[in-house]
PDB file of all heavy atoms in Angstrom:
ATOM      1  N   ASP A   1     -18.836   2.877 -14.132  1.00  0.00           N
ATOM      2  CA  ASP A   1     -18.777   1.499 -14.441  1.00  0.00           C
ATOM      3  C   ASP A   1     -17.446   1.043 -14.962  1.00  0.00           C
ATOM      4  O   ASP A   1     -17.215  -0.128 -15.329  1.00  0.00           O
ATOM      5  CB  ASP A   1     -19.889   1.196 -15.471  1.00  0.00           C
ATOM      6  CG  ASP A   1     -19.857   1.987 -16.748  1.00  0.00           C
ATOM      7  OD1 ASP A   1     -18.917   2.796 -16.844  1.00  0.00           O
ATOM      8  OD2 ASP A   1     -20.743   1.830 -17.580  1.00  0.00           O
ATOM      9  N   GLU A   2     -16.533   1.974 -15.111  1.00  0.00           N
ATOM     10  CA  GLU A   2     -15.147   1.557 -15.617  1.00  0.00           C
ATOM     11  C   GLU A   2     -14.110   1.487 -14.372  1.00  0.00           C
ATOM     12  O   GLU A   2     -12.980   1.228 -14.686  1.00  0.00           O
ATOM     13  CB  GLU A   2     -14.619   2.739 -16.557  1.00  0.00           C
ATOM     14  CG  GLU A   2     -15.439   2.908 -17.842  1.00  0.00           C
ATOM     15  CD  GLU A   2     -14.929   3.987 -18.658  1.00  0.00           C
ATOM     16  OE1 GLU A   2     -13.741   3.926 -18.995  1.00  0.00           O
ATOM     17  OE2 GLU A   2     -15.721   4.833 -19.008  1.00  0.00           O
ATOM     18  N   VAL A   3     -14.585   1.586 -13.241  1.00  0.00           N
ATOM     19  CA  VAL A   3     -13.762   1.434 -12.053  1.00  0.00           C
ATOM     20  C   VAL A   3     -13.256   0.088 -11.954  1.00  0.00           C
ATOM     21  O   VAL A   3     -14.024  -0.974 -12.100  1.00  0.00           O
ATOM     22  CB  VAL A   3     -14.527   1.769 -10.718  1.00  0.00           C
ATOM     23  CG1 VAL A   3     -13.677   1.505  -9.475  1.00  0.00           C
ATOM     24  CG2 VAL A   3     -14.881   3.307 -10.766  1.00  0.00           C
ATOM     25  N   LYS A   4     -11.944  -0.124 -11.685  1.00  0.00           N
ATOM     26  CA  LYS A   4     -11.382  -1.393 -11.502  1.00  0.00           C
ATOM     27  C   LYS A   4     -11.067  -1.646 -10.037  1.00  0.00           C
ATOM     28  O   LYS A   4     -10.090  -1.062  -9.525  1.00  0.00           O
ATOM     29  CB  LYS A   4     -10.002  -1.530 -12.328  1.00  0.00           C
ATOM     30  CG  LYS A   4     -10.308  -1.330 -13.867  1.00  0.00           C
ATOM     31  CD  LYS A   4      -8.958  -1.353 -14.709  1.00  0.00           C
ATOM     32  CE  LYS A   4      -9.210  -1.235 -16.167  1.00  0.00           C
ATOM     33  NZ  LYS A   4      -7.885  -1.200 -16.848  1.00  0.00           N
ATOM     34  N   PRO A   5     -11.874  -2.474  -9.324  1.00  0.00           N
ATOM     35  CA  PRO A   5     -11.674  -2.582  -7.962  1.00  0.00           C
ATOM     36  C   PRO A   5     -10.294  -3.110  -7.530  1.00  0.00           C
ATOM     37  O   PRO A   5      -9.723  -3.940  -8.296  1.00  0.00           O
ATOM     38  CB  PRO A   5     -12.760  -3.555  -7.524  1.00  0.00           C
ATOM     39  CG  PRO A   5     -13.798  -3.422  -8.597  1.00  0.00           C
ATOM     40  CD  PRO A   5     -13.027  -3.100  -9.909  1.00  0.00           C
ATOM     41  N   VAL A   6      -9.710  -2.676  -6.401  1.00  0.00           N
ATOM     42  CA  VAL A   6      -8.441  -3.096  -5.903  1.00  0.00           C
ATOM     43  C   VAL A   6      -8.622  -4.382  -5.067  1.00  0.00           C
ATOM     44  O   VAL A   6      -9.571  -4.440  -4.275  1.00  0.00           O
ATOM     45  CB  VAL A   6      -7.802  -2.035  -5.056  1.00  0.00           C
ATOM     46  CG1 VAL A   6      -6.531  -2.504  -4.451  1.00  0.00           C
ATOM     47  CG2 VAL A   6      -7.518  -0.730  -5.972  1.00  0.00           C
ATOM     48  N   ASP A   7      -7.815  -5.330  -5.186  1.00  0.00           N
ATOM     49  CA  ASP A   7      -7.852  -6.525  -4.367  1.00  0.00           C
ATOM     50  C   ASP A   7      -7.123  -6.183  -3.005  1.00  0.00           C
ATOM     51  O   ASP A   7      -5.857  -6.121  -2.926  1.00  0.00           O
ATOM     52  CB  ASP A   7      -7.120  -7.695  -5.013  1.00  0.00           C
ATOM     53  CG  ASP A   7      -7.172  -8.904  -4.234  1.00  0.00           C
ATOM     54  OD1 ASP A   7      -7.639  -8.962  -3.019  1.00  0.00           O
ATOM     55  OD2 ASP A   7      -6.728 -10.026  -4.775  1.00  0.00           O
ATOM     56  N   VAL A   8      -7.968  -5.779  -2.024  1.00  0.00           N
ATOM     57  CA  VAL A   8      -7.320  -5.380  -0.839  1.00  0.00           C
ATOM     58  C   VAL A   8      -6.542  -6.464  -0.053  1.00  0.00           C
ATOM     59  O   VAL A   8      -5.713  -6.099   0.803  1.00  0.00           O
ATOM     60  CB  VAL A   8      -8.389  -4.789   0.150  1.00  0.00           C
ATOM     61  CG1 VAL A   8      -9.114  -3.591  -0.470  1.00  0.00           C
ATOM     62  CG2 VAL A   8      -9.520  -5.832   0.465  1.00  0.00           C
ATOM     63  N   SER A   9      -6.795  -7.693  -0.376  1.00  0.00           N
ATOM     64  CA  SER A   9      -6.182  -8.822   0.278  1.00  0.00           C
ATOM     65  C   SER A   9      -4.628  -8.830  -0.074  1.00  0.00           C
ATOM     66  O   SER A   9      -3.803  -9.370   0.669  1.00  0.00           O
ATOM     67  CB  SER A   9      -6.779 -10.173   0.018  1.00  0.00           C
ATOM     68  OG  SER A   9      -6.664 -10.502  -1.402  1.00  0.00           O
ATOM     69  N   THR A  10      -4.290  -8.354  -1.250  1.00  0.00           N
ATOM     70  CA  THR A  10      -2.871  -8.316  -1.693  1.00  0.00           C
ATOM     71  C   THR A  10      -2.300  -6.936  -1.832  1.00  0.00           C
ATOM     72  O   THR A  10      -1.202  -6.822  -2.179  1.00  0.00           O
ATOM     73  CB  THR A  10      -2.797  -9.023  -3.060  1.00  0.00           C
ATOM     74  OG1 THR A  10      -3.648  -8.360  -4.015  1.00  0.00           O
ATOM     75  CG2 THR A  10      -3.324 -10.468  -2.967  1.00  0.00           C
ATOM     76  N   TRP A  11      -3.115  -5.932  -1.571  1.00  0.00           N
ATOM     77  CA  TRP A  11      -2.724  -4.561  -1.792  1.00  0.00           C
ATOM     78  C   TRP A  11      -1.564  -4.137  -0.835  1.00  0.00           C
ATOM     79  O   TRP A  11      -1.501  -4.604   0.338  1.00  0.00           O
ATOM     80  CB  TRP A  11      -3.942  -3.594  -1.545  1.00  0.00           C
ATOM     81  CG  TRP A  11      -3.542  -2.076  -1.548  1.00  0.00           C
ATOM     82  CD1 TRP A  11      -3.642  -1.363  -2.586  1.00  0.00           C
ATOM     83  CD2 TRP A  11      -3.105  -1.320  -0.482  1.00  0.00           C
ATOM     84  NE1 TRP A  11      -3.216  -0.032  -2.354  1.00  0.00           N
ATOM     85  CE2 TRP A  11      -2.926  -0.038  -1.032  1.00  0.00           C
ATOM     86  CE3 TRP A  11      -2.864  -1.548   0.856  1.00  0.00           C
ATOM     87  CZ2 TRP A  11      -2.519   1.047  -0.245  1.00  0.00           C
ATOM     88  CZ3 TRP A  11      -2.360  -0.443   1.585  1.00  0.00           C
ATOM     89  CH2 TRP A  11      -2.240   0.870   1.059  1.00  0.00           C
ATOM     90  N   LYS A  12      -0.600  -3.434  -1.357  1.00  0.00           N
ATOM     91  CA  LYS A  12       0.477  -2.830  -0.502  1.00  0.00           C
ATOM     92  C   LYS A  12       0.799  -1.510  -1.100  1.00  0.00           C
ATOM     93  O   LYS A  12       0.565  -1.151  -2.241  1.00  0.00           O
ATOM     94  CB  LYS A  12       1.767  -3.671  -0.687  1.00  0.00           C
ATOM     95  CG  LYS A  12       1.699  -5.081   0.069  1.00  0.00           C
ATOM     96  CD  LYS A  12       2.977  -5.823   0.037  1.00  0.00           C
ATOM     97  CE  LYS A  12       2.897  -7.115   0.783  1.00  0.00           C
ATOM     98  NZ  LYS A  12       4.196  -7.742   0.837  1.00  0.00           N
ATOM     99  N   LEU A  13       1.159  -0.573  -0.073  1.00  0.00           N
ATOM    100  CA  LEU A  13       1.542   0.807  -0.415  1.00  0.00           C
ATOM    101  C   LEU A  13       3.030   0.808  -0.743  1.00  0.00           C
ATOM    102  O   LEU A  13       3.828   0.605   0.188  1.00  0.00           O
ATOM    103  CB  LEU A  13       1.183   1.741   0.643  1.00  0.00           C
ATOM    104  CG  LEU A  13       1.492   3.151   0.416  1.00  0.00           C
ATOM    105  CD1 LEU A  13       0.777   3.766  -0.736  1.00  0.00           C
ATOM    106  CD2 LEU A  13       1.296   3.963   1.735  1.00  0.00           C
ATOM    107  N   GLU A  14       3.408   1.093  -1.911  1.00  0.00           N
ATOM    108  CA  GLU A  14       4.779   1.231  -2.244  1.00  0.00           C
ATOM    109  C   GLU A  14       5.359   2.616  -2.021  1.00  0.00           C
ATOM    110  O   GLU A  14       4.649   3.543  -2.183  1.00  0.00           O
ATOM    111  CB  GLU A  14       4.996   0.869  -3.730  1.00  0.00           C
ATOM    112  CG  GLU A  14       4.538  -0.550  -4.127  1.00  0.00           C
ATOM    113  CD  GLU A  14       5.272  -1.699  -3.507  1.00  0.00           C
ATOM    114  OE1 GLU A  14       6.473  -1.445  -3.204  1.00  0.00           O
ATOM    115  OE2 GLU A  14       4.826  -2.811  -3.368  1.00  0.00           O
ATOM    116  N   LEU A  15       6.599   2.692  -1.606  1.00  0.00           N
ATOM    117  CA  LEU A  15       7.240   3.988  -1.341  1.00  0.00           C
ATOM    118  C   LEU A  15       8.570   4.157  -2.130  1.00  0.00           C
ATOM    119  O   LEU A  15       9.285   3.158  -2.315  1.00  0.00           O
ATOM    120  CB  LEU A  15       7.513   3.995   0.219  1.00  0.00           C
ATOM    121  CG  LEU A  15       6.453   3.784   1.152  1.00  0.00           C
ATOM    122  CD1 LEU A  15       6.941   3.761   2.627  1.00  0.00           C
ATOM    123  CD2 LEU A  15       5.424   4.952   1.068  1.00  0.00           C
ATOM    124  N   SER A  16       8.765   5.314  -2.599  1.00  0.00           N
ATOM    125  CA  SER A  16       9.947   5.646  -3.313  1.00  0.00           C
ATOM    126  C   SER A  16      10.425   7.086  -3.231  1.00  0.00           C
ATOM    127  O   SER A  16       9.689   7.920  -2.569  1.00  0.00           O
ATOM    128  CB  SER A  16       9.737   5.282  -4.826  1.00  0.00           C
ATOM    129  OG  SER A  16       8.683   6.222  -5.332  1.00  0.00           O
ATOM    130  N   GLY A  17      11.580   7.350  -3.798  1.00  0.00           N
ATOM    131  CA  GLY A  17      12.086   8.697  -3.628  1.00  0.00           C
ATOM    132  C   GLY A  17      12.890   9.019  -2.425  1.00  0.00           C
ATOM    133  O   GLY A  17      13.651   8.099  -1.922  1.00  0.00           O
ATOM    134  N   LEU A  18      12.780  10.178  -1.949  1.00  0.00           N
ATOM    135  CA  LEU A  18      13.566  10.667  -0.737  1.00  0.00           C
ATOM    136  C   LEU A  18      12.970  10.222   0.527  1.00  0.00           C
ATOM    137  O   LEU A  18      12.508  11.005   1.367  1.00  0.00           O
ATOM    138  CB  LEU A  18      13.589  12.186  -0.831  1.00  0.00           C
ATOM    139  CG  LEU A  18      14.171  12.747  -2.165  1.00  0.00           C
ATOM    140  CD1 LEU A  18      14.142  14.360  -2.158  1.00  0.00           C
ATOM    141  CD2 LEU A  18      15.571  12.281  -2.383  1.00  0.00           C
ATOM    142  N   ILE A  19      12.968   8.871   0.715  1.00  0.00           N
ATOM    143  CA  ILE A  19      12.450   8.225   1.906  1.00  0.00           C
ATOM    144  C   ILE A  19      13.544   7.249   2.413  1.00  0.00           C
ATOM    145  O   ILE A  19      14.067   6.445   1.637  1.00  0.00           O
ATOM    146  CB  ILE A  19      11.107   7.456   1.518  1.00  0.00           C
ATOM    147  CG1 ILE A  19      10.008   8.525   1.081  1.00  0.00           C
ATOM    148  CG2 ILE A  19      10.577   6.686   2.710  1.00  0.00           C
ATOM    149  CD1 ILE A  19       8.810   7.866   0.576  1.00  0.00           C
ATOM    150  N   LYS A  20      13.804   7.265   3.710  1.00  0.00           N
ATOM    151  CA  LYS A  20      14.826   6.318   4.298  1.00  0.00           C
ATOM    152  C   LYS A  20      14.214   4.902   4.338  1.00  0.00           C
ATOM    153  O   LYS A  20      14.990   3.974   3.965  1.00  0.00           O
ATOM    154  CB  LYS A  20      15.108   6.852   5.646  1.00  0.00           C
ATOM    155  CG  LYS A  20      15.952   8.181   5.739  1.00  0.00           C
ATOM    156  CD  LYS A  20      16.295   8.624   7.073  1.00  0.00           C
ATOM    157  CE  LYS A  20      17.062   9.844   7.102  1.00  0.00           C
ATOM    158  NZ  LYS A  20      17.402  10.339   8.450  1.00  0.00           N
ATOM    159  N   ASP A  21      12.987   4.764   4.779  1.00  0.00           N
ATOM    160  CA  ASP A  21      12.484   3.408   4.941  1.00  0.00           C
ATOM    161  C   ASP A  21      11.479   3.149   3.826  1.00  0.00           C
ATOM    162  O   ASP A  21      10.311   3.544   3.896  1.00  0.00           O
ATOM    163  CB  ASP A  21      11.803   3.195   6.293  1.00  0.00           C
ATOM    164  CG  ASP A  21      11.376   1.714   6.563  1.00  0.00           C
ATOM    165  OD1 ASP A  21      11.424   0.929   5.676  1.00  0.00           O
ATOM    166  OD2 ASP A  21      10.925   1.469   7.698  1.00  0.00           O
ATOM    167  N   LYS A  22      11.860   2.474   2.805  1.00  0.00           N
ATOM    168  CA  LYS A  22      11.039   2.222   1.646  1.00  0.00           C
ATOM    169  C   LYS A  22      10.290   0.900   1.588  1.00  0.00           C
ATOM    170  O   LYS A  22       9.803   0.457   0.629  1.00  0.00           O
ATOM    171  CB  LYS A  22      11.873   2.397   0.361  1.00  0.00           C
ATOM    172  CG  LYS A  22      12.458   3.640   0.154  1.00  0.00           C
ATOM    173  CD  LYS A  22      13.175   3.782  -1.316  1.00  0.00           C
ATOM    174  CE  LYS A  22      13.714   5.124  -1.584  1.00  0.00           C
ATOM    175  NZ  LYS A  22      14.807   5.447  -0.726  1.00  0.00           N
ATOM    176  N   ARG A  23      10.325   0.239   2.817  1.00  0.00           N
ATOM    177  CA  ARG A  23       9.469  -0.976   2.911  1.00  0.00           C
ATOM    178  C   ARG A  23       8.011  -0.695   2.625  1.00  0.00           C
ATOM    179  O   ARG A  23       7.484   0.241   3.169  1.00  0.00           O
ATOM    180  CB  ARG A  23       9.699  -1.672   4.232  1.00  0.00           C
ATOM    181  CG  ARG A  23      11.087  -2.223   4.460  1.00  0.00           C
ATOM    182  CD  ARG A  23      11.201  -2.749   5.837  1.00  0.00           C
ATOM    183  NE  ARG A  23      11.138  -1.701   6.901  1.00  0.00           N
ATOM    184  CZ  ARG A  23      11.266  -1.959   8.163  1.00  0.00           C
ATOM    185  NH1 ARG A  23      11.321  -3.169   8.686  1.00  0.00           N
ATOM    186  NH2 ARG A  23      11.155  -0.877   8.984  1.00  0.00           N
ATOM    187  N   PRO A  24       7.406  -1.599   1.815  1.00  0.00           N
ATOM    188  CA  PRO A  24       5.981  -1.362   1.560  1.00  0.00           C
ATOM    189  C   PRO A  24       5.133  -1.563   2.787  1.00  0.00           C
ATOM    190  O   PRO A  24       5.474  -2.325   3.684  1.00  0.00           O
ATOM    191  CB  PRO A  24       5.692  -2.418   0.505  1.00  0.00           C
ATOM    192  CG  PRO A  24       6.683  -3.459   0.657  1.00  0.00           C
ATOM    193  CD  PRO A  24       7.933  -2.733   1.078  1.00  0.00           C
ATOM    194  N   TRP A  25       3.960  -0.953   2.829  1.00  0.00           N
ATOM    195  CA  TRP A  25       2.971  -1.068   3.858  1.00  0.00           C
ATOM    196  C   TRP A  25       1.853  -1.880   3.545  1.00  0.00           C
ATOM    197  O   TRP A  25       1.270  -1.685   2.461  1.00  0.00           O
ATOM    198  CB  TRP A  25       2.552   0.338   4.355  1.00  0.00           C
ATOM    199  CG  TRP A  25       3.623   1.025   5.149  1.00  0.00           C
ATOM    200  CD1 TRP A  25       4.835   1.439   4.771  1.00  0.00           C
ATOM    201  CD2 TRP A  25       3.454   1.419   6.558  1.00  0.00           C
ATOM    202  NE1 TRP A  25       5.461   2.111   5.834  1.00  0.00           N
ATOM    203  CE2 TRP A  25       4.668   2.013   6.886  1.00  0.00           C
ATOM    204  CE3 TRP A  25       2.470   1.309   7.526  1.00  0.00           C
ATOM    205  CZ2 TRP A  25       4.826   2.632   8.177  1.00  0.00           C
ATOM    206  CZ3 TRP A  25       2.654   1.794   8.814  1.00  0.00           C
ATOM    207  CH2 TRP A  25       3.853   2.412   9.180  1.00  0.00           C
ATOM    208  N   THR A  26       1.336  -2.818   4.322  1.00  0.00           N
ATOM    209  CA  THR A  26       0.149  -3.516   4.172  1.00  0.00           C
ATOM    210  C   THR A  26      -1.054  -2.646   4.691  1.00  0.00           C
ATOM    211  O   THR A  26      -0.825  -1.757   5.537  1.00  0.00           O
ATOM    212  CB  THR A  26       0.194  -4.906   4.868  1.00  0.00           C
ATOM    213  OG1 THR A  26       0.161  -4.641   6.342  1.00  0.00           O
ATOM    214  CG2 THR A  26       1.321  -5.631   4.418  1.00  0.00           C
ATOM    215  N   LEU A  27      -2.262  -3.069   4.339  1.00  0.00           N
ATOM    216  CA  LEU A  27      -3.441  -2.317   4.817  1.00  0.00           C
ATOM    217  C   LEU A  27      -3.596  -2.422   6.341  1.00  0.00           C
ATOM    218  O   LEU A  27      -3.892  -1.503   7.030  1.00  0.00           O
ATOM    219  CB  LEU A  27      -4.721  -2.820   4.104  1.00  0.00           C
ATOM    220  CG  LEU A  27      -5.925  -1.995   4.332  1.00  0.00           C
ATOM    221  CD1 LEU A  27      -5.766  -0.589   3.960  1.00  0.00           C
ATOM    222  CD2 LEU A  27      -7.127  -2.571   3.527  1.00  0.00           C
ATOM    223  N   ASP A  28      -3.286  -3.615   6.835  1.00  0.00           N
ATOM    224  CA  ASP A  28      -3.364  -3.903   8.310  1.00  0.00           C
ATOM    225  C   ASP A  28      -2.419  -2.894   9.108  1.00  0.00           C
ATOM    226  O   ASP A  28      -2.751  -2.383  10.106  1.00  0.00           O
ATOM    227  CB  ASP A  28      -3.119  -5.322   8.685  1.00  0.00           C
ATOM    228  CG  ASP A  28      -4.254  -6.284   8.365  1.00  0.00           C
ATOM    229  OD1 ASP A  28      -5.330  -5.816   8.057  1.00  0.00           O
ATOM    230  OD2 ASP A  28      -3.923  -7.469   8.178  1.00  0.00           O
ATOM    231  N   GLN A  29      -1.220  -2.747   8.467  1.00  0.00           N
ATOM    232  CA  GLN A  29      -0.259  -1.805   9.104  1.00  0.00           C
ATOM    233  C   GLN A  29      -0.776  -0.416   9.199  1.00  0.00           C
ATOM    234  O   GLN A  29      -0.540   0.335  10.122  1.00  0.00           O
ATOM    235  CB  GLN A  29       1.136  -1.910   8.475  1.00  0.00           C
ATOM    236  CG  GLN A  29       1.898  -3.177   8.644  1.00  0.00           C
ATOM    237  CD  GLN A  29       3.118  -3.213   7.849  1.00  0.00           C
ATOM    238  OE1 GLN A  29       3.124  -3.045   6.670  1.00  0.00           O
ATOM    239  NE2 GLN A  29       4.177  -3.466   8.517  1.00  0.00           N
ATOM    240  N   ILE A  30      -1.388  -0.072   8.031  1.00  0.00           N
ATOM    241  CA  ILE A  30      -1.832   1.407   7.968  1.00  0.00           C
ATOM    242  C   ILE A  30      -3.111   1.510   8.971  1.00  0.00           C
ATOM    243  O   ILE A  30      -3.214   2.556   9.616  1.00  0.00           O
ATOM    244  CB  ILE A  30      -2.228   1.686   6.615  1.00  0.00           C
ATOM    245  CG1 ILE A  30      -1.077   1.805   5.718  1.00  0.00           C
ATOM    246  CG2 ILE A  30      -3.087   2.958   6.452  1.00  0.00           C
ATOM    247  CD1 ILE A  30      -1.271   2.194   4.246  1.00  0.00           C
ATOM    248  N   TYR A  31      -3.969   0.464   9.016  1.00  0.00           N
ATOM    249  CA  TYR A  31      -5.110   0.592   9.967  1.00  0.00           C
ATOM    250  C   TYR A  31      -4.654   0.665  11.382  1.00  0.00           C
ATOM    251  O   TYR A  31      -5.403   1.117  12.213  1.00  0.00           O
ATOM    252  CB  TYR A  31      -5.940  -0.700   9.731  1.00  0.00           C
ATOM    253  CG  TYR A  31      -6.984  -0.634   8.691  1.00  0.00           C
ATOM    254  CD1 TYR A  31      -7.310  -1.723   7.873  1.00  0.00           C
ATOM    255  CD2 TYR A  31      -7.681   0.527   8.402  1.00  0.00           C
ATOM    256  CE1 TYR A  31      -8.234  -1.688   6.869  1.00  0.00           C
ATOM    257  CE2 TYR A  31      -8.651   0.634   7.368  1.00  0.00           C
ATOM    258  CZ  TYR A  31      -8.927  -0.457   6.528  1.00  0.00           C
ATOM    259  OH  TYR A  31      -9.851  -0.404   5.639  1.00  0.00           O
ATOM    260  N   ALA A  32      -3.422   0.103  11.667  1.00  0.00           N
ATOM    261  CA  ALA A  32      -2.908   0.156  13.097  1.00  0.00           C
ATOM    262  C   ALA A  32      -2.424   1.516  13.455  1.00  0.00           C
ATOM    263  O   ALA A  32      -2.248   1.693  14.709  1.00  0.00           O
ATOM    264  CB  ALA A  32      -1.859  -0.930  13.178  1.00  0.00           C
TER     265      ALA A  32
END
């Protein structure tokens, strides 16, 4: 009951560190 649901409509996957392309990913892009 302490779970805080994620708003999937605005969710993005952030990338950092030793990665060349750090552009965030949307859920639609991941689903594709």
Side-chain angles (χ1 to χ4, degrees):
D1 57 3
E2 298 178 54
V3 172
K4 299 177 180 178
V6 175
D7 183 353
V8 296
S9 66
T10 60
W11 176 91
K12 288 186 178 181
L13 177 65
E14 303 291 338
L15 304 173
S16 64
L18 304 176
I19 296 173
K20 291 180 180 178
D21 187 352
K22 296 185 176 68
R23 290 177 293 180
W25 282 64
T26 67
L27 189 56
D28 286 340
Q29 288 175 310
I30 292 178
Y31 275 143

